[in-house]
Amino acid sequence: MRQLTSILSTQVEAPTIALRLFLLAAQIADECGFEDLTYDLYVQAFTVYEDSISESRAQLQAITLVIGTLQGAKVFGVDNYDTLITKAALHAAKLLKKPHQATGVHLASHLWWQEAVAVGEEESEEVVGKDLEKSVLKEDGEGAKAVCPSFLLCY
């Protein structure tokens, strides 16, 4: 499967399909609990991204797909997960256009936040959720007023 997908990215010149197939295979390996295989498939997806995708909009779409699949990954230990999300954030920061960089880094930043919530137990998740609701909606005399949560940089 890996060889066929690699051929798609190099010889057939279909890197976006190859990237999607590597990410799909990584999701399946993640569901099966194979950490090493999942990590390897993500590394190959990053290799396809680095070597074959050069157009700015395609890079943004590709890094968005990588970030989206990483966000749902459950099998990784702290070291492997941290390595992959750091690599995703670095690629997002190196996008060609500044608006694309901002979007990519914004999406990648959620990977660290998600990890902190996922580590806690159900009780702590409920507490974090309630604290988040309180920081987003602040009661005043006339009803709910939106305010900036502490983890966001609002201007």
Side-chain angles (χ1 to χ4, degrees), residues 30-59:
D30 178 70
E31 288 294 320
C32 294
F34 300 128
E35 182 177 3
D36 293 335
L37 179 60
T38 306
Y39 183 83
D40 184 49
L41 290 166
Y42 274 108
V43 168
Q44 289 189 335
F46 277 120
T47 302
V48 169
Y49 173 84
E50 293 164 356
D51 295 343
S52 304
I53 300 175
S54 59
E55 197 261 319
S56 181
R57 186 169 301 227
Q59 285 181 334

mmCIF file of all heavy atoms in Angstrom, residues 30-59:
data_model
loop_
_atom_site.group_PDB
_atom_site.id
_atom_site.type_symbol
_atom_site.label_atom_id
_atom_site.label_comp_id
_atom_site.label_asym_id
_atom_site.label_seq_id
_atom_site.Cartn_x
_atom_site.Cartn_y
_atom_site.Cartn_z
ATOM 1 N N ASP A 30 -4.455 4.187 13.320
ATOM 2 C CA ASP A 30 -4.734 4.772 14.624
ATOM 3 C C ASP A 30 -5.903 4.054 15.292
ATOM 4 O O ASP A 30 -5.838 3.721 16.474
ATOM 5 C CB ASP A 30 -5.050 6.266 14.462
ATOM 6 C CG ASP A 30 -5.400 6.931 15.772
ATOM 7 O OD1 ASP A 30 -4.499 7.084 16.616
ATOM 8 O OD2 ASP A 30 -6.583 7.294 15.945
ATOM 9 N N GLU A 31 -6.956 3.802 14.535
ATOM 10 C CA GLU A 31 -8.123 3.091 15.073
ATOM 11 C C GLU A 31 -7.766 1.673 15.513
ATOM 12 O O GLU A 31 -8.345 1.160 16.455
ATOM 13 C CB GLU A 31 -9.250 3.047 14.042
ATOM 14 C CG GLU A 31 -9.926 4.372 13.816
ATOM 15 C CD GLU A 31 -10.685 4.867 15.035
ATOM 16 O OE1 GLU A 31 -11.334 4.053 15.716
ATOM 17 O OE2 GLU A 31 -10.615 6.085 15.304
ATOM 18 N N CYS A 32 -6.808 1.057 14.822
ATOM 19 C CA CYS A 32 -6.383 -0.299 15.166
ATOM 20 C C CYS A 32 -5.378 -0.323 16.315
ATOM 21 O O CYS A 32 -5.068 -1.395 16.842
ATOM 22 C CB CYS A 32 -5.781 -0.992 13.946
ATOM 23 S SG CYS A 32 -6.987 -1.287 12.641
ATOM 24 N N GLY A 33 -4.844 0.837 16.681
ATOM 25 C CA GLY A 33 -3.919 0.917 17.804
ATOM 26 C C GLY A 33 -2.462 0.689 17.460
ATOM 27 O O GLY A 33 -1.668 0.381 18.338
ATOM 28 N N PHE A 34 -2.083 0.845 16.193
ATOM 29 C CA PHE A 34 -0.696 0.643 15.780
ATOM 30 C C PHE A 34 0.042 1.982 15.761
ATOM 31 O O PHE A 34 0.048 2.684 14.758
ATOM 32 C CB PHE A 34 -0.635 0.006 14.389
ATOM 33 C CG PHE A 34 -1.314 -1.330 14.304
ATOM 34 C CD1 PHE A 34 -2.268 -1.571 13.326
ATOM 35 C CD2 PHE A 34 -1.007 -2.353 15.187
ATOM 36 C CE1 PHE A 34 -2.902 -2.801 13.224
ATOM 37 C CE2 PHE A 34 -1.634 -3.588 15.097
ATOM 38 C CZ PHE A 34 -2.589 -3.812 14.118
ATOM 39 N N GLU A 35 0.683 2.317 16.865
ATOM 40 C CA GLU A 35 1.331 3.624 16.981
ATOM 41 C C GLU A 35 2.480 3.799 15.996
ATOM 42 O O GLU A 35 2.577 4.828 15.326
ATOM 43 C CB GLU A 35 1.846 3.857 18.408
ATOM 44 C CG GLU A 35 2.479 5.220 18.577
ATOM 45 C CD GLU A 35 2.927 5.500 19.998
ATOM 46 O OE1 GLU A 35 2.802 4.612 20.868
ATOM 47 O OE2 GLU A 35 3.413 6.614 20.232
ATOM 48 N N ASP A 36 3.357 2.815 15.886
ATOM 49 C CA ASP A 36 4.515 2.942 15.003
ATOM 50 C C ASP A 36 4.098 3.081 13.536
ATOM 51 O O ASP A 36 4.646 3.908 12.807
ATOM 52 C CB ASP A 36 5.455 1.743 15.159
ATOM 53 C CG ASP A 36 6.112 1.706 16.530
ATOM 54 O OD1 ASP A 36 6.228 2.783 17.163
ATOM 55 O OD2 ASP A 36 6.517 0.611 16.960
ATOM 56 N N LEU A 37 3.138 2.281 13.120
ATOM 57 C CA LEU A 37 2.660 2.356 11.742
ATOM 58 C C LEU A 37 1.973 3.695 11.483
ATOM 59 O O LEU A 37 2.195 4.326 10.448
ATOM 60 C CB LEU A 37 1.693 1.204 11.448
ATOM 61 C CG LEU A 37 1.094 1.168 10.043
ATOM 62 C CD1 LEU A 37 2.188 1.060 8.982
ATOM 63 C CD2 LEU A 37 0.094 0.037 9.919
ATOM 64 N N THR A 38 1.184 4.153 12.418
ATOM 65 C CA THR A 38 0.505 5.445 12.282
ATOM 66 C C THR A 38 1.524 6.564 12.156
ATOM 67 O O THR A 38 1.397 7.435 11.288
ATOM 68 C CB THR A 38 -0.420 5.699 13.482
ATOM 69 O OG1 THR A 38 -1.312 4.600 13.637
ATOM 70 C CG2 THR A 38 -1.202 6.987 13.314
ATOM 71 N N TYR A 39 2.540 6.543 13.010
ATOM 72 C CA TYR A 39 3.578 7.564 12.965
ATOM 73 C C TYR A 39 4.290 7.549 11.611
ATOM 74 O O TYR A 39 4.513 8.593 10.997
ATOM 75 C CB TYR A 39 4.588 7.330 14.102
ATOM 76 C CG TYR A 39 5.651 8.382 14.189
ATOM 77 C CD1 TYR A 39 5.418 9.579 14.849
ATOM 78 C CD2 TYR A 39 6.902 8.182 13.604
ATOM 79 C CE1 TYR A 39 6.397 10.556 14.929
ATOM 80 C CE2 TYR A 39 7.881 9.153 13.672
ATOM 81 C CZ TYR A 39 7.622 10.333 14.344
ATOM 82 O OH TYR A 39 8.587 11.298 14.405
ATOM 83 N N ASP A 40 4.629 6.350 11.129
ATOM 84 C CA ASP A 40 5.311 6.216 9.845
ATOM 85 C C ASP A 40 4.461 6.759 8.697
ATOM 86 O O ASP A 40 4.968 7.413 7.789
ATOM 87 C CB ASP A 40 5.670 4.748 9.591
ATOM 88 C CG ASP A 40 6.469 4.556 8.329
ATOM 89 O OD1 ASP A 40 7.472 5.281 8.135
ATOM 90 O OD2 ASP A 40 6.088 3.686 7.511
ATOM 91 N N LEU A 41 3.171 6.500 8.739
ATOM 92 C CA LEU A 41 2.284 6.996 7.685
ATOM 93 C C LEU A 41 2.174 8.519 7.717
ATOM 94 O O LEU A 41 2.125 9.166 6.667
ATOM 95 C CB LEU A 41 0.915 6.340 7.795
ATOM 96 C CG LEU A 41 0.896 4.855 7.436
ATOM 97 C CD1 LEU A 41 -0.399 4.198 7.903
ATOM 98 C CD2 LEU A 41 1.109 4.651 5.945
ATOM 99 N N TYR A 42 2.161 9.106 8.896
ATOM 100 C CA TYR A 42 2.175 10.570 8.990
ATOM 101 C C TYR A 42 3.486 11.143 8.459
ATOM 102 O O TYR A 42 3.490 12.169 7.777
ATOM 103 C CB TYR A 42 1.944 11.037 10.427
ATOM 104 C CG TYR A 42 0.489 11.160 10.779
ATOM 105 C CD1 TYR A 42 -0.112 10.251 11.644
ATOM 106 C CD2 TYR A 42 -0.299 12.173 10.249
ATOM 107 C CE1 TYR A 42 -1.445 10.352 11.976
ATOM 108 C CE2 TYR A 42 -1.636 12.288 10.568
ATOM 109 C CZ TYR A 42 -2.204 11.375 11.433
ATOM 110 O OH TYR A 42 -3.533 11.481 11.752
ATOM 111 N N VAL A 43 4.592 10.479 8.761
ATOM 112 C CA VAL A 43 5.887 10.932 8.247
ATOM 113 C C VAL A 43 5.887 10.881 6.722
ATOM 114 O O VAL A 43 6.364 11.812 6.056
ATOM 115 C CB VAL A 43 7.036 10.081 8.839
ATOM 116 C CG1 VAL A 43 8.343 10.331 8.111
ATOM 117 C CG2 VAL A 43 7.194 10.386 10.324
ATOM 118 N N GLN A 44 5.330 9.828 6.155
ATOM 119 C CA GLN A 44 5.269 9.747 4.692
ATOM 120 C C GLN A 44 4.330 10.805 4.111
ATOM 121 O O GLN A 44 4.605 11.350 3.045
ATOM 122 C CB GLN A 44 4.856 8.343 4.263
ATOM 123 C CG GLN A 44 5.959 7.346 4.524
ATOM 124 C CD GLN A 44 5.688 5.987 3.921
ATOM 125 O OE1 GLN A 44 4.544 5.611 3.701
ATOM 126 N NE2 GLN A 44 6.747 5.255 3.667
ATOM 127 N N ALA A 45 3.261 11.119 4.819
ATOM 128 C CA ALA A 45 2.370 12.196 4.364
ATOM 129 C C ALA A 45 3.118 13.531 4.368
ATOM 130 O O ALA A 45 2.994 14.327 3.429
ATOM 131 C CB ALA A 45 1.133 12.267 5.250
ATOM 132 N N PHE A 46 3.907 13.770 5.401
ATOM 133 C CA PHE A 46 4.713 14.996 5.443
ATOM 134 C C PHE A 46 5.749 15.018 4.322
ATOM 135 O O PHE A 46 6.027 16.068 3.743
ATOM 136 C CB PHE A 46 5.412 15.154 6.800
ATOM 137 C CG PHE A 46 4.543 15.756 7.862
ATOM 138 C CD1 PHE A 46 4.263 15.058 9.019
ATOM 139 C CD2 PHE A 46 4.010 17.032 7.719
ATOM 140 C CE1 PHE A 46 3.469 15.609 10.008
ATOM 141 C CE2 PHE A 46 3.218 17.597 8.698
ATOM 142 C CZ PHE A 46 2.948 16.883 9.848
ATOM 143 N N THR A 47 6.308 13.866 3.998
ATOM 144 C CA THR A 47 7.282 13.787 2.912
ATOM 145 C C THR A 47 6.628 14.141 1.582
ATOM 146 O O THR A 47 7.207 14.890 0.782
ATOM 147 C CB THR A 47 7.906 12.373 2.845
ATOM 148 O OG1 THR A 47 8.520 12.091 4.106
ATOM 149 C CG2 THR A 47 8.934 12.279 1.749
ATOM 150 N N VAL A 48 5.442 13.629 1.335
ATOM 151 C CA VAL A 48 4.711 13.981 0.108
ATOM 152 C C VAL A 48 4.445 15.482 0.093
ATOM 153 O O VAL A 48 4.631 16.144 -0.924
ATOM 154 C CB VAL A 48 3.384 13.186 -0.002
ATOM 155 C CG1 VAL A 48 2.501 13.738 -1.104
ATOM 156 C CG2 VAL A 48 3.678 11.715 -0.233
ATOM 157 N N TYR A 49 4.037 16.022 1.222
ATOM 158 C CA TYR A 49 3.769 17.462 1.322
ATOM 159 C C TYR A 49 5.023 18.267 0.986
ATOM 160 O O TYR A 49 4.974 19.216 0.201
ATOM 161 C CB TYR A 49 3.277 17.794 2.736
ATOM 162 C CG TYR A 49 3.141 19.263 3.000
ATOM 163 C CD1 TYR A 49 1.995 19.954 2.627
ATOM 164 C CD2 TYR A 49 4.160 19.978 3.620
ATOM 165 C CE1 TYR A 49 1.875 21.309 2.853
ATOM 166 C CE2 TYR A 49 4.040 21.332 3.852
ATOM 167 C CZ TYR A 49 2.893 21.995 3.475
ATOM 168 O OH TYR A 49 2.779 23.343 3.701
ATOM 169 N N GLU A 50 6.140 17.890 1.576
ATOM 170 C CA GLU A 50 7.387 18.640 1.385
ATOM 171 C C GLU A 50 7.925 18.529 -0.038
ATOM 172 O O GLU A 50 8.401 19.505 -0.605
ATOM 173 C CB GLU A 50 8.453 18.136 2.368
ATOM 174 C CG GLU A 50 8.141 18.432 3.810
ATOM 175 C CD GLU A 50 8.993 17.605 4.766
ATOM 176 O OE1 GLU A 50 9.773 16.741 4.302
ATOM 177 O OE2 GLU A 50 8.869 17.810 5.985
ATOM 178 N N ASP A 51 7.849 17.340 -0.602
ATOM 179 C CA ASP A 51 8.486 17.088 -1.894
ATOM 180 C C ASP A 51 7.623 17.438 -3.103
ATOM 181 O O ASP A 51 8.157 17.813 -4.146
ATOM 182 C CB ASP A 51 8.898 15.611 -2.015
ATOM 183 C CG ASP A 51 9.967 15.225 -1.010
ATOM 184 O OD1 ASP A 51 10.619 16.130 -0.445
ATOM 185 O OD2 ASP A 51 10.142 14.013 -0.789
ATOM 186 N N SER A 52 6.318 17.302 -2.974
ATOM 187 C CA SER A 52 5.488 17.336 -4.182
ATOM 188 C C SER A 52 4.436 18.432 -4.242
ATOM 189 O O SER A 52 3.894 18.686 -5.307
ATOM 190 C CB SER A 52 4.783 15.987 -4.345
ATOM 191 O OG SER A 52 5.724 14.943 -4.382
ATOM 192 N N ILE A 53 4.116 19.049 -3.137
ATOM 193 C CA ILE A 53 3.065 20.069 -3.157
ATOM 194 C C ILE A 53 3.732 21.433 -3.025
ATOM 195 O O ILE A 53 4.318 21.751 -1.992
ATOM 196 C CB ILE A 53 2.037 19.832 -2.043
ATOM 197 C CG1 ILE A 53 1.393 18.463 -2.226
ATOM 198 C CG2 ILE A 53 0.974 20.933 -2.035
ATOM 199 C CD1 ILE A 53 0.444 18.057 -1.134
ATOM 200 N N SER A 54 3.626 22.233 -4.085
ATOM 201 C CA SER A 54 4.334 23.509 -4.086
ATOM 202 C C SER A 54 3.431 24.727 -4.225
ATOM 203 O O SER A 54 3.811 25.826 -3.858
ATOM 204 C CB SER A 54 5.379 23.528 -5.197
ATOM 205 O OG SER A 54 4.751 23.318 -6.439
ATOM 206 N N GLU A 55 2.223 24.549 -4.738
ATOM 207 C CA GLU A 55 1.322 25.686 -4.918
ATOM 208 C C GLU A 55 0.731 26.079 -3.557
ATOM 209 O O GLU A 55 0.388 25.237 -2.741
ATOM 210 C CB GLU A 55 0.209 25.288 -5.904
ATOM 211 C CG GLU A 55 -0.556 26.449 -6.492
ATOM 212 C CD GLU A 55 -1.871 26.672 -5.768
ATOM 213 O OE1 GLU A 55 -2.536 25.690 -5.441
ATOM 214 O OE2 GLU A 55 -2.196 27.835 -5.514
ATOM 215 N N SER A 56 0.628 27.384 -3.317
ATOM 216 C CA SER A 56 0.270 27.908 -2.004
ATOM 217 C C SER A 56 -1.084 27.419 -1.503
ATOM 218 O O SER A 56 -1.211 26.968 -0.366
ATOM 219 C CB SER A 56 0.295 29.436 -2.035
ATOM 220 O OG SER A 56 -0.024 29.951 -0.774
ATOM 221 N N ARG A 57 -2.090 27.500 -2.327
ATOM 222 C CA ARG A 57 -3.433 27.080 -1.898
ATOM 223 C C ARG A 57 -3.465 25.575 -1.636
ATOM 224 O O ARG A 57 -4.090 25.119 -0.681
ATOM 225 C CB ARG A 57 -4.462 27.458 -2.942
ATOM 226 C CG ARG A 57 -5.885 27.179 -2.497
ATOM 227 C CD ARG A 57 -6.847 27.815 -3.446
ATOM 228 N NE ARG A 57 -6.583 29.235 -3.462
ATOM 229 C CZ ARG A 57 -7.492 30.172 -3.367
ATOM 230 N NH1 ARG A 57 -8.744 29.826 -3.274
ATOM 231 N NH2 ARG A 57 -7.177 31.443 -3.387
ATOM 232 N N ALA A 58 -2.787 24.802 -2.459
ATOM 233 C CA ALA A 58 -2.730 23.350 -2.261
ATOM 234 C C ALA A 58 -1.988 23.012 -0.966
ATOM 235 O O ALA A 58 -2.354 22.065 -0.262
ATOM 236 C CB ALA A 58 -2.057 22.673 -3.450
ATOM 237 N N GLN A 59 -0.943 23.791 -0.644
ATOM 238 C CA GLN A 59 -0.227 23.575 0.610
ATOM 239 C C GLN A 59 -1.136 23.829 1.810
ATOM 240 O O GLN A 59 -1.122 23.079 2.779
ATOM 241 C CB GLN A 59 1.003 24.476 0.693
ATOM 242 C CG GLN A 59 2.149 24.033 -0.166
ATOM 243 C CD GLN A 59 3.353 24.948 -0.018
ATOM 244 O OE1 GLN A 59 3.226 26.139 0.315
ATOM 245 N NE2 GLN A 59 4.524 24.393 -0.268
#
